[in-house]
Amino acid sequence: MTTSTPPLREAARAIVMDADDRVLLLRYDENGGFWATPGGSLEEGEDHATATLRELGEELGIDEKAVELGPQLAERTKDHLVGGREVRQVERYFLTRVSAADIDPARATQPDSIREYRWWTLAELRAAQETVYPVGLADLVAAVAAGRTPHKPVVLTD
């Protein structure tokens, strides 16, 4: 029996934090419902940092000039369905600092299937009963809030 590797899909995601170290998550209804960080696939010729800024504008109406894009904090590889076909998604997560006032969903150009967005404190994130992606997000947020930004990207698994 031969198994093939799904096609590669490169993605950039933002771990969006405000000055109070809250993290912004988006809620989606598919697959039983879950919360996740903003982001999406790279467009042809685009690097991960540029894609992160573009996705923040498309999903949340954030002007890229308002974004303080920080280092890559993590990466994750996951096989899953996108648009009905299986892909191997390789995600890079970047620390992103914005204020709540910078978010303007009315300016979002591609809100996709986002149902809502919400700022979460670390305590709320740790106590969440809902599904939150990526697994390990609370530990990353705690490290950043304590001033311990990883020197190299953490590999997340779930």
Side-chain angles (χ1 to χ4, degrees):
M1 182 170 140
T2 306
T3 57
S4 62
T5 302
L8 183 65
R9 181 178 191 249
E10 292 278 342
R13 304 200 73 83
I15 297 175
V16 178
M17 296 177 68
D18 69 4
D20 295 323
D21 291 324
R22 296 179 305 166
V23 65
L24 180 70
L25 297 177
L26 311 177
R27 187 175 67 80
Y28 299 87
D29 287 339
E30 63 260 20
N31 301 320
F34 62 92
W35 291 87
T37 59
S41 67
L42 273 64
E43 294 180 352
E44 188 163 334
E46 194 173 45
D47 64 29
H48 288 83
T50 302
T52 302
L53 294 172
R54 177 183 49 76
E55 288 287 340
L56 290 170
E58 289 178 355
E59 294 181 346
L60 295 164
I62 298 173
D63 183 337
E64 69 180 58
K65 294 175 191 73
V67 176
E68 181 185 327
L69 188 62
Q72 181 185 343
L73 296 178
E75 60 186 53
R76 176 179 90 142
T77 300
K78 180 148 180 82
D79 292 355
H80 67 105
L81 293 176
V82 173
R85 70 179 193 127
E86 188 164 355
V87 298
R88 173 157 292 163
Q89 184 153 302
V90 177
E91 302 171 334
R92 293 186 188 179
Y93 290 81
F94 290 85
L95 176 60
T96 310
R97 293 283 189 172
V98 300
S99 75
D102 294 324
I103 297 169
D104 184 358
R107 286 195 321 238
T109 57
Q110 292 183 14
D112 301 324
S113 57
I114 298 166
R115 296 295 167 244
E116 68 179 296
Y117 70 89
R118 181 177 139 206
W119 291 97
W120 297 62
T121 65
L122 180 58
E124 291 168 335
L125 195 55
R126 290 204 187 279
Q129 297 298 308
E130 300 138 302
T131 302
V132 175
Y133 293 115
V135 171
L137 179 60
D139 292 337
L140 278 173
V141 169
V144 170
R148 297 186 321 269
T149 303
H151 295 293
K152 64 179 189 173
V154 173
V155 176
L156 301 172
T157 59
D158 55 44

